[in-house]
Amino acid sequence: MQAQQIWLRIRGGRLREVFPHDGEVVVETEERIERYPGCWAFPGFVDAHGHVVFYGLELGQPSLRSCRSAEECVEVLRSWAPNRGEWLLGGGWDQEAWTSAEFPSAELLDAVFPDIPVALRRTDGHALWVNSEALRRAHIQDDTPDPPSGLIVRTATGKPTGVLIDAAAELVLRCIPAPSSEEIRQAIRRATAQLLRFGITEVHDMDVDPCWVPVFEELARAGQLPLRIQSYVRAQHGEWDVAGLLPTTGEFFQLRGVKFYADGALGSYGAALLEPYSDKVGHQGFLFFNAETLKEAILAALEVGWHIAVHAIGDAANRQVAQVFHALRLRGIDTTEQRLRVEHTQIVHPDDIPILAEAGCVASVQPLHCVHDAPMARRRLGNQRRSIPYPWRSLLAAGVPIAAGSDFPIEPPNVLAGVAAFCLRRPFGEVAPWIPEESLELEEAFAAYTNWAHYAAAVDDRRGLLLPGYDADVVIVDRNPGACLPEEVSNVRIVAVYVAGVRRWSTEDTRVPA
Ligand SMILES: [Zn+2]
């Protein structure tokens, strides 16, 4: 995938004709001609794995992302009042980025918030830091057992510390009032306005709560979604079925697939590994399903027409999903009609890569996770395992297509930073690349954010290329990334973004997202 200088003739939201055009990009619609001298055009970028509502909600809550200690988090929170009923919610903390690298405690929060409940998501969404009032409301005490697939972190004497991992976080989360429809609407508006600024014209929105769907549908009907959303509805406990949802079609909003979790995340020791964690003796994480149950749940979803996305981080989870997908393929599932996606595909044993390929599935990967999490991943994994972390080149070489995303709000939805991460695999703050043989070429990295990503949602026959008949989703940039070194790609500026032939954002646009 290369940037082009091109004349785009758009009619009815689609590319009618395209001509090579030296020195500029020209966008010609029924109403006007817009010229971008010196600029280059790509098909609109896709973020193939994000969380629109959580991103939008987080944009309206305290962010602990840049904090370097638990104390600094508390300082940021000090000026905030409850933002959801009586609760104060926030997120983005990451003990791995702190000088102490240790989990925080409830006491720190209690000193400032003795009376109101506080709940703060870890950056990966797989752990929750809460104060004592939140523990009290969730009835979590010394003798509360760990729920299956979850962990209440405790002191040596068995007292809950205030950090809850995976299913244990649910004990608190279910006590927090759900956001109102109006809050969801505002969150979607904030998120989509922000996504456009990164050149994103389409999102694969993962783990969508069925009660958000009417809000998305209403915004789509009113023409108020500025970009396209392929929605993958929650399926872990059959939520799509309970809510009576089925796949839909639509230009800007489609219920496309369902999303399962095979395991948790590496940062919070929830990812399921074939061998124990190198920095936590005897612990291998959790598989959330046995293979047969997962297969049956996926079959039920396939039968009514859903595409399938399954989160798998650890090598044990990737093995389970590879085998389940492979078994489904042997049963005659047509992956040209209904895609089978592995979300994250993060740590994969080399034996399982050909199985993923034979199963006909797509790997949905997040390059910024690799460069951000490398120091933590190296501690968790040690250097004795055969499994490959972030095995992009190995997957491609075996014939597994790659779709790229950011997992926003966990990482920023910054496509150009993602492209650089694909090519350089250089962990933040380090000079040397990490496992450089797994990096991608620049053209492959852009393909993973454009036509390969559209392949993952099976809309690649009408989006992802600048060709006549394709949807006029276009991003215009200020220079040719193909002439840049990978180190320079992050300096490329997004100039304008078109979805369905309408300019949705440009550098002239000074609107601040509501
Ligand atoms: Zn995610």
Side-chain angles (χ1 to χ4, degrees):
M1 176 59 55
Q2 286 180 324
Q4 299 174 66
Q5 292 193 313
I6 194 167
W7 186 301
L8 302 167
R9 181 163 293 150
I10 296 169
R11 296 292 180 268
R14 292 196 169 196
L15 299 170
R16 168 77 60 85
E17 290 169 285
V18 303
F19 317 100
H21 187 71
D22 271 351
E24 62 178 350
V25 175
V26 179
V27 179
E28 178 202 321
T29 61
E30 290 90 336
E31 290 88 30
R32 60 179 69 86
I33 292 180
E34 282 153 339
R35 292 175 177 273
Y36 300 92
C39 290
W40 296 72
F42 276 110
F45 297 146
V46 182
D47 193 311
H49 183 123
H51 304 277
V52 171
V53 168
F54 287 133
Y55 184 45
L57 288 172
E58 229 187 88
L59 289 170
Q61 292 174 358
S63 169
L64 309 174
R65 218 159 269 284
S66 52
C67 296
R68 289 293 162 265
S69 67
E71 291 75 14
E72 206 181 318
C73 293
V74 175
E75 279 315 303
V76 168
L77 294 165
R78 205 178 271 279
S79 58
W80 285 76
N83 51 11
R84 176 84 53 75
E86 298 173 355
W87 290 71
L88 173 58
L89 306 181
W93 62 274
D94 179 4
Q95 87 284 2
E96 293 295 334
W98 299 347
T99 19
S100 72
E102 274 167 24
F103 275 142
S105 72
E107 281 92 42
L108 267 179
L109 293 171
D110 295 345
V112 181
F113 303 103
D115 306 318
I116 64 160
V118 180
L120 309 164
R121 280 175 190 277
R122 189 179 185 275
T123 176
D124 66 0
H126 287 268
L128 201 65
W129 172 23
V130 301
N131 68 348
S132 296
E133 178 60 17
L135 289 172
R136 194 185 65 74
R137 294 196 182 203
H139 306 291
I140 297 174
Q141 295 162 339
D142 296 10
D143 57 354
T144 307
D146 291 336
S149 328
L151 181 71
I152 300 170
V153 178
R154 298 169 206 262
T155 63
T157 59
K159 191 172 165 347
T161 63
V163 173
L164 307 165
I165 292 170
D166 283 316
E170 287 299 320
L171 302 173
V172 166
L173 293 174
R174 66 185 180 212
C175 305
I176 301 173
S180 66
S181 295
E182 182 52 30
E183 281 174 87
I184 299 294
R185 192 173 299 115
Q186 292 303 333
I188 296 168
R189 287 221 175 94
R190 269 197 298 267
T192 50
Q194 193 67 15
L195 290 164
L196 283 172
R197 305 168 76 97
F198 292 101
I200 292 167
T201 57
E202 185 150 342
V203 169
H204 302 170
D205 191 17
M206 290 290 153
D207 208 31
V208 170
D209 186 323
C211 44
W212 306 337
V213 170
V215 183
F216 278 109
E217 286 179 333
E218 179 205 305
L219 286 170
R221 262 196 311 275
Q224 290 177 5
L225 283 182
L227 49 78
R228 303 181 201 267
I229 296 179
Q230 306 281 351
S231 197
Y232 291 75
V233 181
R234 244 170 235 178
Q236 198 72 353
H237 306 290
E239 290 89 337
W240 66 268
D241 195 19
V242 174
L245 293 176
L246 289 172
T248 59
T249 54
E251 280 296 304
F252 278 71
F253 180 75
Q254 289 199 55
L255 293 176
R256 193 65 170 158
V258 290
K259 162 86 184 296
F260 296 91
Y261 285 84
D263 68 346
L266 202 60
S268 42
Y269 299 97
L273 299 183
L274 294 168
E275 291 164 43
Y277 280 81
S278 299
D279 60 350
K280 197 168 169 64
V281 179
H283 183 77
Q284 285 181 258
F286 323 99
L287 281 174
F288 294 158
F289 288 99
N290 71 48
E292 201 49 37
T293 318
L294 179 60
K295 192 165 79 188
E296 290 308 314
I298 291 175
L299 262 178
L302 285 167
E303 260 162 30
V304 299
W306 292 115
H307 294 235
I308 305 298
V310 187
H311 162 120
I313 300 241
D315 46 11
N318 276 289
R319 172 162 293 175
Q320 182 186 58
V321 175
Q323 289 174 350
V324 166
F325 280 174
H326 195 261
L328 291 167
R329 188 69 186 273
L330 292 180
R331 281 174 74 147
I333 298 301
D334 181 356
T335 55
T336 59
E337 296 288 329
Q338 286 169 286
R339 297 281 191 258
L340 303 175
R341 308 169 46 134
V342 191
E343 301 304 317
H344 310 304
T345 338
Q346 223 169 68
I347 301 141
V348 189
H349 193 282
D351 292 352
D352 297 321
I353 290 177
I355 299 173
L356 288 165
E358 271 179 45
C361 61
V362 181
S364 160
V365 304
Q366 296 76 34
L368 288 174
H369 281 337
C370 172
V371 296
H372 188 185
D373 293 347
M376 174 273 287
R378 286 187 296 234
R379 279 199 302 280
R380 300 282 186 276
L381 301 173
N383 46 19
Q384 300 296 327
R385 289 168 219 254
R386 284 194 61 215
S387 293
I388 311 167
Y390 313 89
W392 308 321
R393 172 60 58 201
S394 299
L395 288 164
L396 272 186
V400 180
I402 280 182
S406 64
D407 209 0
F408 63 79
I410 296 174
E411 296 290 346
N414 188 334
V415 172
L416 295 167
V419 166
F422 263 141
C423 299
L424 297 169
R425 281 181 77 104
R426 187 183 293 159
F428 283 144
E430 297 181 20
V431 180
W434 185 39
I435 323 178
E437 56 274 25
E438 292 293 342
S439 61
L440 299 187
E441 300 297 328
L442 196 64
E443 275 186 46
E444 295 169 328
F446 276 108
Y449 279 105
T450 52
N451 50 337
W452 297 354
H454 286 301
Y455 175 86
V459 291
D460 52 314
D461 57 337
R462 47 176 293 195
R463 293 204 276 280
L465 297 171
L466 298 178
L467 289 178
Y470 278 65
D471 287 325
D473 297 358
V474 185
V475 53
I476 296 168
V477 295
D478 70 340
R479 71 199 81 169
N480 179 11
C484 294
L485 295 169
E487 296 66 358
E488 296 165 348
V489 169
S490 307
N491 301 331
V492 172
R493 282 180 54 237
I494 311 284
V495 172
V497 182
Y498 290 76
V499 183
V502 175
R503 190 162 79 180
R504 310 283 171 165
W505 184 83
S506 81
T507 39
E508 291 154 33
D509 199 336
T510 52
R511 268 180 311 167
V512 178

